[in-house]
Amino acid sequence: MQTQLLSDFQAYQNGLNGKAETPFNQLRRLAMDNFSNLGFPTTKHEEWKYSNVKKLVEKSYNFHPKSEAGEDELSALPIPDLAGNILYFINGIFHPELSTLQTPDDKLKIITLSQAITEFPDLLNEYYGKFTDNITESFTALNTAMANDGVVVFIPDNTTLEEPVIMRMIGDVREENVGSFVRNLVVVGKNAEVKIAESFRTLGEKSGFVNAVTEIIVGEDARVDYYKVQDDNDESFHIGTTQVYQKDRSYFYSATVTINGGFVRNNLNLILDGQHINSYMYGLYIPDKKQHIDNHTLVDHRKPNCQSNELYKGILMGKSTGVFNGKIFVQEDAQKTNAYQNCRNVIVSDSATMNTKPQLEIWADDVKCSHGTTTGKLNDDAIFYMQSRGIPKQEAIKLQLLAFAEDVVSQIKIDGIRNYLEVLIREKLHGN
């Protein structure tokens, strides 16, 4: 695969017609050089110790597909009662003709990445790729080099969006294996407020490879709620990075919910580069069969008087595997930091496996920090108590698992997505 990607990139470079020296294309070329040197990670890399991408690398993909999916096909992948600014991407390509925008242009600006290159180069030069790791993270470098489409979302200062921005990523793999690189940049102005969601679905049964990077800039006094929902087929590979940069007094809340996917790696990285920042990171993953779900999080506290709170929960069934690696960095100047991290997992099947690695590195002395993880089975006494009240054992187990998941799902403030997830979770738990 690496040879194919390098060849595709060279063909892209040859078609630039003298525009290769723009800052944007310089960044792409540097990122591809880094990827060429790094190659794909192996289990010898500490960050990929429990997640082997060998099966992904061995497959072949069409990275330039033409999807014919339209409204009829997308209606087979519904999210009922979904309202707001809904953007459709098919195989990584933004389709404005399928999308619906409700917010006026003076409150919400959405343009394609290709448009931004020519129309808003200063915005890209200021934010695009400035906080992502294109040096040591090979998949991020690959996305930076190969991103074939995406959008730039801009919310001006002092703007409160009542309608959420929902990006629906559809992988059309009905005819062939398809690979895509999608890159989104969200810039939220000072004292602005918005709810953002990304949903990943699969149309078809063949293999899809999605390499997605979303950068979110949260301005001073701004508030952002961000949700990521994944419900792909068992042949899919998803490598996703969400990179967040927060300024003074900003608020960021995230919920990452993975229902299905063959191989899923979610990287959520937060940089708290201001004072009086609040950050919340929640996650829920429910793998079954041979599904593999890996959540890596990083919170970098750079300034004093900030708080981060993190809770990830897993329900593992079948022969599935889960990974959680959470890092908290408290830099020397980040006094008065409160940082908390917790990962809790329930193993439903004797064949399921969970690997956890919480990490905490502190260079300041006036802080309150904690981290921990638990992995175990459901409480037999609680199940017995419910049985004594006339509830069948399997139903008692399902009710406990639903209650376990509720901490994450109940906090989602986009009604259509929350209701949709509640149905998906019930269906998956009742099917096992």
Side-chain angles (χ1 to χ4, degrees):
M1 185 191 293
Q2 185 170 352
T3 301
Q4 177 190 358
L5 292 168
L6 292 172
S7 176
D8 284 357
F9 182 79
Q10 188 59 51
Y12 164 82
Q13 287 289 104
N14 294 339
L16 287 176
N17 298 322
K19 299 180 181 179
E21 294 310 312
T22 65
F24 181 80
N25 286 313
Q26 288 176 355
L27 177 63
R28 289 180 69 130
R29 189 171 62 251
L30 178 60
M32 180 51 78
D33 289 342
N34 290 336
F35 169 73
S36 180
N37 293 329
L38 291 168
F40 289 104
T42 69
T43 53
K44 294 181 180 179
H45 294 78
E46 184 63 27
E47 295 299 308
W48 293 84
K49 181 178 180 180
Y50 301 111
S51 296
N52 193 338
V53 299
K54 182 179 179 181
K55 291 182 179 179
L56 163 64
V57 176
E58 289 177 345
K59 287 182 177 290
S60 60
Y61 295 90
N62 181 358
F63 290 104
H64 307 282
K66 291 184 179 180
S67 175
E68 301 299 328
E71 293 184 1
D72 290 341
E73 286 83 2
L74 297 182
S75 64
L77 303 173
I79 300 180
D81 303 319
L82 195 62
N85 301 287
I86 304 175
L87 315 180
Y88 275 96
F89 299 74
I90 300 176
N91 293 334
I93 304 299
F94 175 53
H95 283 254
E97 77 281 3
L98 298 175
S99 303
T100 302
L101 298 182
Q102 295 184 347
T103 303
D105 190 63
D106 60 336
K107 291 187 175 182
L108 173 65
K109 187 72 174 179
I110 297 176
I111 59 174
T112 66
L113 185 58
S114 56
Q115 288 175 318
I117 293 171
T118 56
E119 298 178 21
F120 297 94
D122 292 342
L123 185 68
L124 290 185
N125 293 339
E126 183 175 1
Y127 294 118
Y128 186 87
K130 295 302 181 183
F131 307 109
T132 54
D133 183 359
N134 299 310
I135 306 300
T136 64
E137 292 289 342
S138 60
F139 281 104
T140 302
L142 180 60
N143 177 281
T144 300
M146 297 293 294
N148 46 3
D149 204 7
V151 293
V152 176
V153 178
F154 176 68
I155 296 95
D157 293 350
N158 304 310
T159 300
T160 297
L161 261 64
E162 300 296 335
E163 307 87 0
V165 177
I166 301 168
M167 293 176 268
R168 296 203 61 192
M169 315 288 184
I170 308 297
D172 184 359
V173 294
R174 292 173 294 176
E175 303 296 333
E176 59 182 342
N177 296 343
V178 171
S180 63
F181 303 92
V182 61
R183 183 69 168 253
N184 295 316
L185 171 63
V186 180
V187 180
V188 183
K190 183 178 180 179
N191 197 37
E193 184 173 346
V194 63
K195 299 179 184 67
I196 303 166
E198 292 182 311
S199 167
F200 294 85
R201 299 288 300 275
T202 306
L203 182 64
E205 301 299 327
K206 292 187 179 296
S207 180
F209 166 41
V210 175
N211 184 346
V213 174
T214 297
E215 300 174 272
I216 303 175
I217 311 300
V218 189
E220 295 179 10
D221 299 291
R223 294 178 62 89
V224 175
D225 289 88
Y226 167 78
Y227 313 119
K228 182 176 182 179
V229 178
Q230 296 161 310
D231 184 23
D232 286 313
N233 69 19
D234 291 338
E235 299 300 319
S236 65
F237 293 85
H238 178 102
I239 312 291
T241 295
T242 303
Q243 181 68 54
V244 181
Y245 181 82
Q246 292 187 247
K247 298 182 181 181
D248 287 311
R249 300 174 302 280
S250 62
Y251 169 97
F252 179 79
Y253 177 98
S254 70
T256 302
V257 182
T258 306
I259 305 298
N260 286 298
F263 181 102
V264 177
R265 166 69 172 247
N266 293 314
N267 301 312
L268 176 58
N269 307 320
L270 273 62
I271 298 174
L272 280 60
D273 198 10
Q275 295 198 48
H276 304 288
I277 291 173
N278 286 282
S279 305
Y280 299 87
M281 308 163 71
Y282 285 75
L284 175 67
Y285 40 98
I286 312 177
D288 65 356
K289 295 174 280 191
K290 294 184 178 181
Q291 294 174 350
H292 177 92
I293 299 176
D294 180 347
N295 285 290
H296 268 58
T297 66
L298 186 152
V299 185
D300 186 1
H301 285 264
R302 295 184 177 180
K303 299 290 176 61
N305 302 305
C306 295
Q307 174 175 300
S308 66
N309 201 319
E310 181 175 1
L311 174 63
Y312 271 66
K313 288 187 166 187
I315 300 172
L316 289 87
M317 302 175 288
K319 296 181 179 180
S320 66
T321 57
V323 180
F324 174 80
N325 188 325
K327 297 180 181 179
I328 298 175
F329 295 147
V330 182
Q331 307 296 344
E332 186 175 358
D333 292 336
Q335 304 291 346
K336 304 293 183 181
T337 288
N338 293 337
Y340 307 101
Q341 179 192 97
N342 193 6
C343 177
R344 299 170 59 192
N345 302 283
V346 174
I347 304 294
V348 179
S349 165
D350 292 336
S351 301
T353 303
M354 184 68 204
N355 301 286
T356 60
K357 186 180 179 182
Q359 296 174 262
L360 181 59
E361 297 185 25
I362 302 174
W363 290 277
D365 53 18
D366 187 7
V367 301
K368 293 180 180 179
C369 300
S370 67
H371 64 164
T373 179
T374 59
T375 300
K377 296 186 177 182
L378 290 173
N379 189 312
D380 289 336
D381 291 339
I383 294 174
F384 178 79
Y385 175 81
M386 295 174 74
Q387 286 182 273
S388 70
R389 294 299 183 269
I391 300 175
K393 182 176 181 180
Q394 290 304 313
E395 185 64 22
I397 291 173
K398 299 300 187 298
L399 289 173
Q400 284 204 42
L401 293 176
L402 287 171
F404 181 79
E406 188 68 10
D407 284 346
V408 177
V409 177
S410 64
Q411 300 301 313
I412 294 177
K413 297 177 182 178
I414 300 177
D415 294 342
I417 290 180
R418 185 183 64 253
N419 297 335
Y420 164 73
L421 282 173
E422 289 175 348
V423 172
L424 280 184
I425 292 170
R426 286 180 180 276
E427 289 178 350
K428 184 154 191 178
L429 293 180
H430 282 283
N432 284 270

